[in-house]
Amino acid sequence: MASGIQQNTRDERDAEAVSRFVERFASEMTEAGMQRMASRVFAALLADDDGSMTSAELAMALQISPAAVSGAINYLSQVSMVGRERDPGSRRDRYRLHDEVWYTTFASRDRVLTRWESTLKEGARTLGEHTPAGARLAETAAFFEFVQEELGGMMERWREHRKTLGLPTADGRRATST
């Protein structure tokens, strides 16, 4: 739930400008391949001060049906971009962005790439690594292996770089470089 300060901040914002931002960012994510409704729900959560809304709040903010919210949340949960929690003292679910949502999302992609790499290597062996299809699968597996190696280092460099930026952590404290 929003604190009094957060509610005041929300009240001072231009709701139409916030809505335009949500739709613009959602459009960018949709163009990059994310499902349209999932993009809209994610952008709305991203623009929310505490990164958390109920189904009813999302439906009202985006002018969509509860079923559309549910489908979007199911997708976003599967790709580790949001989580569900219960509103204290209520039967309502609250949908929340994961802390460090982009880090978490990319880290989960690492696991996907590992599975794809393994399957592609097996496929290359099955088709014959010297056949055109087998060679294509082997190259794809090698690409994913390379991306994973680079991603691990990049994620660690991000953690160190983030400390230098003085950005607030999920609990509101400022990260500091040690």
Side-chain angles (χ1 to χ4, degrees), residues 146-163:
F146 174 80
V147 167
Q148 281 187 273
E149 289 171 7
E150 293 297 311
L151 187 59
M154 183 182 71
M155 299 294 271
E156 184 55 39
R157 287 190 304 277
W158 164 250
R159 282 234 183 254
E160 292 304 313
H161 178 68
R162 188 183 192 292
K163 291 176 186 174

Side-chain angles (χ1 to χ4, degrees), residues 97-164:
L97 293 176
H98 289 296
D99 294 339
E100 299 184 44
V101 66
W102 294 113
Y103 185 94
T104 302
T105 299
F106 275 85
S108 73
R109 290 296 167 270
D110 188 45
R111 291 186 296 276
V112 170
L113 291 176
T114 298
R115 291 193 312 266
W116 287 3
E117 180 188 336
S118 175
T119 301
L120 287 162
K121 285 179 178 178
E122 182 181 321
R125 286 189 300 274
T126 300
L127 297 171
E129 293 179 12
H130 300 293
T131 67
R136 189 169 39 254
L137 294 181
E139 179 183 351
T140 304
F143 174 76
F144 287 145
E145 184 176 24
F146 174 80
V147 167
Q148 281 187 273
E149 289 171 7
E150 293 297 311
L151 187 59
M154 183 182 71
M155 299 294 271
E156 184 55 39
R157 287 190 304 277
W158 164 250
R159 282 234 183 254
E160 292 304 313
H161 178 68
R162 188 183 192 292
K163 291 176 186 174
T164 69

